[in-house]
Amino acid sequence: MRKSTSILLPMVVSFLLWASGTSLAEPLELWLYYPTNFQPKESISKLEPIWRRAAKAGYTKVLLTDSKFAKLGDLGGMEKQYFGNVEKAKKLAGELKLELVPAMFDIGYSNNLLWHDPNLAEGLPVKDSLFVVKNGEARLVADPPVNFGKPTWADDVVKISDGVATLEDFKENGRINYKLKVSPFRCYHVSAWIKTQEFSGDPHISVLAGKQSLQHQNLGVKRTQDWTEHHVVFNSLENSEVNVYLGVWGGGKGKLQWKNWEIEEVGLLNVLRRPGTPCVVKGYVEGKDYEPIVDPLMGSKPWKGEFTSWHEPPVIKTKLADGTQLRVSWYHPAIIYDGQVSVCPSEPATMGLLADQAKRVKEAFGAKAYMMSHDEIRTWNWDEACMKRNMDAGEILADNVRQCAKLLEGSRVYVWSDMFDPFHNAHGDYYLVRGDFKGSWQGLDPSVTIMNWNFGKRDESLKFFADRGHKQVIAGYYDAPVGQVKKWLEAAKKVKGVEGVMYTTWKGNYRDVEEFGRIVREGSN
């Protein structure tokens, strides 16, 4: 017997709404991103009021990060206090019905992991740099010589007098440019003295070769400072010509001055010593013709795993005759922005550290789920350990994340979206990466849940991962106006599998926790 239209119509409408993805099947879970340090006594008293507020506002999960998660076997006598605080946090979370999801595997921002061995940093190659022996020491000789001299050009707002470049209250770009000849795969150091007075812009030393930026370090210039020397280091990679810019893009208020800017080729700075980064003096034997090469300041200032962009590099001690020319090849890490250094994924010791971290974090928390911190991997696939694999960047990343997920078998696994998203960072021409990250997503089993933070291309990104069968959690807020999450919620209604939304602050700003939760609840009903 045929059912009446009045009965069928609501069923059809409900099915069409579900099929078209115009509504969310279930209310979205609320997540709180919370970085901490469990070592200080006050860590629990600091987190407790925030967690209580979040629980009251309907949050049910906490993504927990701590730099010590990479160092749990090396807490320096603070084990009792540290793990005591971990137990207190777990007890509080249980009381508040908050599930803790610890993060691990520092692939990308690897300084915490490199605490164990700074030599595991991904290395950029220096090839056949020239050293000349004199008085028992071999020092680098620039090949070819390089210096700044007269600028190739400068923006009109830059006033240069008596060797001082001055910019004041300007709205356009204010830069000095030099087009320089360099040798491929060499290491160069640029320094400049900078003075500011209530200056609002962002001074940079940028190095471009074609469209590629070879230098990504921030200078750390203060709004007001007396004359201070600043340093950056870059590798020329395949290039024989570079454009060096000293200046500001987009204008600035106040006063900015530059003086004594210099460039030099340098040798053996932050030289990496491990099997995958051989340091070779062509035609000679280490330990026989010259003393072992080591940079004692590599990855050790101000503490292990941190790298200074510039310090005086070591010389080569030798008994070879004066005037002997040496050709030296070696590797050094790239420093990105404010100190970020990436680990080499292909050195066997790296996987050993990741396995140890997984074991220790799981023992400490006994959690149901864990987060993999693969994120913004900006140096990759340059050293011998990587090159010998004959794999593209995406293949290496797919292999690494596959191994990391295996270390977490039996638990639910989450990962940041960007390095597996073709609409975000999973592509070619990415920072100082050799090759293309395309295909990195092949390393992700559909059971891995994606923490998606690609707000700029949220529709495309959410659909890409949904079509691959992944569940997703939206990483929202990002210290933007709290109402911005509404755009995420609208995008989430177009796909299946979005389970939650996370309040994600990088500035420790938790003032909008309640309002953010309210908007998510109302928008997902």
Side-chain angles (χ1 to χ4, degrees), residues 194 196 199-205 218-221 247-249 256 258:
I194 300 174
T196 57
F199 184 68
S200 64
D202 190 9
H204 280 278
I205 296 175
N218 289 331
L219 292 178
V221 177
V248 178
W249 280 255
L256 167 67
W258 302 73

Side-chain angles (χ1 to χ4, degrees), residues 340-389:
Q340 177 193 357
V341 174
S342 297
V343 72
C344 172
S346 301
E347 197 71 60
T350 297
M351 208 63 227
L353 286 180
L354 297 175
D356 182 71
Q357 184 185 32
K359 176 177 178 292
R360 293 179 186 277
V361 173
K362 287 195 290 185
E363 286 175 350
F365 284 92
K368 297 177 181 177
Y370 297 92
M371 174 77 176
M372 299 190 295
S373 300
H374 297 66
D375 181 34
E376 296 182 325
I377 303 167
R378 291 164 170 153
T379 313
W380 196 259
N381 199 22
W382 279 108
D383 61 27
E384 192 171 291
C386 291
M387 298 275 273
K388 283 183 173 179
R389 301 177 73 182

